[in-house]
Amino acid sequence: MRKENKEYIEKTLFNSLSGQSLISPYDSEKVLFEPKIRLGILASGNGSNFEHIIKSIQNKQLNAEISILIVNNPNCLAIKKAIENDIPYVIINHRDCNSRLDHDKLVMKKLEELTVELVVMAGWMRIVGEEIINRFKNRLINIHPSLLPSFKGIDAIQQAIENRVTITGCTVHYVQKEVDSGSIIIQAAVPIKEQDSKETLKKRIQDMEHIILPLAIAKVAKKIRTSFKDNK
Ligand code: GAR
């Protein structure tokens, strides 16, 4: 692991020890699996989670290759990060499709063409249908900016503020038909401070997202590798 990455994780963990945040489950052991897992990343927005997946691979924290970035929105900033890092990407604009199913089918076709093993919704702002969910059963995960099952759906950070909770966070979970409801893989708790604005809170939550998403990918990748061996 590179020095700056180690320092970043240690600093964040220090914050967690001083009551700023908490990751669970957290294994200090590195999750190992071989060979590299082929990832398909789905993104719609700024792409900061996508960028941290790339960093985790570069830092050898994650033994993965990104087969494709799929975006549904031509203005998605993740595209720039894909170009900078030589990662193949495709824009599958839902506005060009007649139905949700048509869009899902195009996304699924691309993932299958590239024999993607694990699909990561990293800021993907679209509901996916049963076809994709069933096709990638136990191999489709999502990150959501709340401590699920609280604050499902749109604008989870605003929901947490409006409900005046004092702890919120982020969750990586398997995707199932009901939105933001699949089994939880890993969560991070983040306190809401009195002086927080939505932006300061979002920044604190996203700092934790950038740590837990690569950890969750590694955990699920290990499971995929293990079940593959068991099925041989
Ligand atoms: C992340 O905070 C993620 O949790 C959220 O979108 C943001 C994307 O940020 N996802 C959802 O709200 C899904 N319901 P990014 O584009 O910078 O990674």
Side-chain angles (χ1 to χ4, degrees):
M1 194 186 292
R2 277 203 196 145
K3 191 164 166 271
E4 66 266 26
N5 192 46
K6 193 162 175 276
E7 279 170 6
Y8 172 66
I9 290 179
E10 275 170 4
K11 187 170 149 244
T12 312
L13 287 177
F14 171 77
N15 283 342
S16 93
L17 293 173
S18 56
Q20 302 294 307
S21 48
L22 167 73
I23 294 175
S24 179
Y26 181 79
D27 306 315
S28 52
E29 285 291 299
K30 205 168 159 187
V31 184
L32 295 173
F33 54 89
E34 287 284 350
K36 281 184 184 175
I37 194 94
R38 287 188 302 282
L39 302 178
I41 311 292
L42 309 185
S44 310
N46 288 330
S48 71
N49 278 288
F50 173 55
E51 189 176 13
H52 278 79
I53 296 169
I54 298 172
K55 280 191 184 157
S56 301
I57 295 172
Q58 289 169 346
N59 292 334
K60 308 221 177 306
Q61 188 195 342
L62 198 55
N63 195 24
E65 64 184 41
I66 302 177
S67 305
I68 190 82
L69 165 75
I70 300 179
V71 303
N72 65 310
N73 156 19
N75 300 320
C76 174
L77 295 178
I79 295 175
K80 187 167 170 273
K81 286 156 192 161
I83 295 170
E84 284 165 3
N85 288 280
D86 268 335
I87 292 171
Y89 73 92
V90 61
I91 303 168
I92 305 181
N93 192 341
H94 59 276
R95 291 187 185 87
D96 297 338
C97 297
N98 288 329
S99 67
R100 185 178 297 280
L101 183 60
D102 283 355
H103 185 251
D104 277 4
K105 278 186 176 162
L106 290 177
V107 170
M108 202 156 74
K109 186 161 171 270
K110 192 40 108 181
L111 295 169
E112 282 176 337
E113 252 170 46
L114 296 165
T115 55
V116 162
E117 297 174 272
L118 173 57
V119 185
V120 181
M121 295 178 16
W124 177 253
M125 298 306 185
R126 277 189 67 77
I127 293 172
V128 290
E130 274 184 275
E131 289 214 16
I132 296 195
I133 294 172
N134 294 337
R135 176 68 185 79
F136 289 94
K137 192 167 172 10
N138 297 328
R139 296 190 296 125
L140 173 61
I141 66 175
N142 178 47
I143 184 144
H144 183 77
S146 78
L147 276 184
L148 290 173
S150 293
F151 312 133
K152 297 175 181 179
I154 299 168
D155 217 346
I157 298 176
Q158 185 61 31
Q159 291 185 53
I161 291 171
E162 282 169 11
N163 281 277
R164 297 174 175 274
V165 294
T166 58
I167 298 178
T168 183
C170 45
T171 303
V172 184
H173 63 95
Y174 290 100
V175 176
Q176 69 173 34
K177 198 171 129 218
E178 294 73 29
V179 175
D180 299 327
S181 296
S183 312
I184 290 168
I185 301 161
I186 183 164
Q187 293 184 299
V190 173
I192 302 183
K193 299 179 181 176
E194 252 178 61
Q195 67 275 24
D196 263 335
S197 63
K198 189 174 170 189
E199 282 315 304
T200 57
L201 179 58
K202 180 176 171 187
K203 163 87 177 65
R204 207 169 322 114
I205 291 173
Q206 289 205 332
D207 283 349
M208 298 311 287
E209 290 189 341
H210 300 157
I211 293 180
I212 67 168
L213 186 54
L215 290 175
I217 293 171
K219 263 177 185 286
V220 177
K222 190 179 177 194
K223 271 198 183 167
I224 290 173
R225 288 283 172 266
T226 315
S227 63
F228 176 68
K229 272 193 208 128
D230 290 348
N231 291 338
K232 259 197 193 171

